[in-house]
Amino acid sequence: MKAIVVRETGKPDVLELQEVERPKTAADQVLIRVEAISVNFADIKARQGQYHGVAADAVFTPGLDCAGVVVEAGADAKRFKTGQRVMAFPSGGSYAEFVVAPESLVYPIPDGLSSEAAAASLTVGVTAYNAIRKMARLEQGESILIHAAAGGIGSTAIQLAKLFGASRIIGTVGSDEKMEKAKSFGADEVINYRTDDFVEKINKLTNGKGVDVILDTVAGENFEKSLKCLAPFGRIVSFGHANDGSVPGIAKTDDLHSSCRSVIGYSTGTYRKHRPEFLREGTERITEYLLQKQLEIVISKRFALKDAAQAHAHIESRMSIGKVLLIP
């Protein structure tokens, strides 16, 4: 089969399409013929040698998730049949024509949902759902700040926050074009962090109170600034590090206990590895919202698998909106 292989970390051109051996199916695994692959920012971090769980000197295939058709099920994998449409978090990287995944991380694609929508929604949907619902525990009537609001997770989180009854949804983005996109997803206010101080703007919008929940995928200085506009009893969910990490995010304990504020760490990858059952609720809910037309996963571009380097370059240009897919 063909797969993208990274033999050394670096720029997008280290992503090479190669002929590799098709993976063998273990007893608890399902073999899937891949139809669509989601490109996530974590893939870029892995390619650069900055993603947790991937050694900087490892030879690997990138990719967190995909959708396709079951080709073979292991002896102990009883939930899925040959020919069934599924989405999955595979055991190896998903940038390939075939993948294997443990049955616990494979989910059925219902009629009415395309393979592209399923692939695009899996990581961003589960991550946004868990960050808002399970980690931050957003309550109806609370306000929320969503950084990187025009990206895959951001655009999904805006829609979910509205669905869950947020009173005010504020997003930050890096361009005026993305401001309009974030508003189209349902944000009440959007701030261009390149031209405005989002802390100053948010504190003005909230009469100095700040927001109740903040979703931070940027980290570093962005985390530091976010603390300055977090309301008493507020929660920051930290689940990414798009920032290069040159400015550490430091939370002083006396800034937290005296105001009853919380900093919560979350990683879909860590749950995938250690507590896969935790991800099932989010997957089921996101699928329901998509079928009921309460949620839309925006797919802005599709690239052939062989053009994975172009897909990464597009995302790194900071011009991408919503999700980018690879098609084998």
Side-chain angles (χ1 to χ4, degrees):
M1 70 171 190
K2 290 183 173 62
I4 295 294
V5 177
V6 175
R7 298 194 175 278
E8 59 179 348
T9 58
K11 295 181 179 180
D13 60 7
V14 302
L15 299 169
E16 298 181 1
L17 186 68
Q18 297 185 1
E19 288 282 347
V20 301
E21 186 177 351
R22 184 185 297 190
K24 292 180 171 58
T25 311
D28 66 338
Q29 291 181 327
V30 172
L31 177 66
I32 300 165
R33 176 173 53 79
V34 177
E35 294 183 337
I37 304 157
S38 172
V39 182
N40 294 287
F41 200 80
D43 305 342
I44 291 170
K45 286 296 185 180
R47 192 202 76 225
Q48 295 171 338
Q50 299 175 18
Y51 185 65
H52 63 90
V54 179
D57 59 350
V59 175
F60 67 97
T61 291
L64 300 180
D65 53 7
C66 62
V69 177
V70 174
V71 174
E72 178 182 306
D76 297 333
K78 306 294 187 182
R79 292 176 49 235
F80 298 98
K81 299 178 181 178
T82 301
Q84 186 172 358
R85 298 169 62 241
V86 295
M87 49 188 161
F89 294 110
S91 299
S94 59
Y95 288 21
E97 293 180 321
F98 292 87
V99 300
V100 290
E103 186 182 46
S104 61
L105 291 172
V106 180
Y107 314 96
I109 299 176
D111 294 340
L113 191 65
S114 70
S115 294
E116 287 193 0
S121 68
L122 189 50
T123 291
V124 298
V126 168
T127 300
Y129 178 90
N130 286 337
I132 297 172
R133 202 65 156 172
K134 309 287 274 188
M135 303 294 124
R137 298 184 181 276
L138 177 76
E139 296 183 7
Q140 189 166 352
E142 288 190 315
S143 57
I144 185 170
L145 167 63
I146 299 169
H147 290 300
I153 290 176
S155 59
T156 305
I158 289 171
Q159 297 175 72
L160 291 179
K162 187 171 287 290
L163 195 60
F164 298 154
S167 62
R168 173 177 262 173
I169 303 169
I170 304 172
T172 66
V173 296
S175 70
D176 290 344
E177 178 190 5
K178 288 187 176 183
M179 287 179 69
E180 294 306 312
K181 287 294 184 180
K183 288 178 182 177
S184 74
F185 299 139
D188 297 303
E189 286 97 12
V190 185
I191 301 164
N192 184 340
Y193 66 82
R194 295 187 188 278
T195 58
D196 289 299
D197 184 333
F198 74 81
V199 175
E200 181 180 325
K201 295 259 312 188
I202 288 169
N203 285 331
K204 184 176 181 180
L205 285 169
T206 60
N207 296 317
K209 176 191 173 185
V211 289
D212 299 304
V213 169
I214 299 177
L215 303 187
D216 181 23
T217 58
V218 182
E221 183 181 10
N222 197 75
F223 175 84
E224 287 284 306
K225 294 178 69 175
S226 293
L227 278 175
K228 297 177 182 178
C229 56
L230 182 65
F233 304 96
R235 292 85 70 199
I236 293 183
V237 183
S238 175
F239 58 107
H241 59 290
N243 187 287
D244 64 8
S246 59
V247 182
I250 302 172
K252 297 179 181 178
T253 55
D254 60 357
D255 288 339
L256 301 175
H257 70 77
S258 62
S259 59
C260 297
R261 300 184 301 172
S262 305
V263 176
I264 305 160
Y266 173 78
S267 165
T268 294
T270 300
Y271 274 101
R272 197 172 64 233
K273 183 176 180 180
H274 297 289
R275 299 184 181 180
E277 68 282 353
F278 181 84
L279 303 179
R280 188 164 299 280
E281 177 186 324
T283 304
E284 292 174 350
R285 295 290 85 78
I286 292 299
T287 300
E288 289 175 8
Y289 299 146
L290 288 168
L291 289 175
Q292 294 166 5
K293 308 300 183 184
Q294 294 176 295
L295 174 66
E296 179 186 4
I297 303 295
V298 177
I299 301 171
S300 61
K301 278 189 176 293
R302 298 164 179 82
F303 293 85
L305 179 61
K306 65 181 179 63
D307 296 325
Q310 294 180 33
H312 276 219
H314 174 65
I315 292 176
E316 287 181 272
S317 74
R318 305 287 183 174
M319 297 302 291
S320 64
I321 302 292
K323 288 298 297 176
V324 172
L325 295 183
L326 296 177
I327 309 297

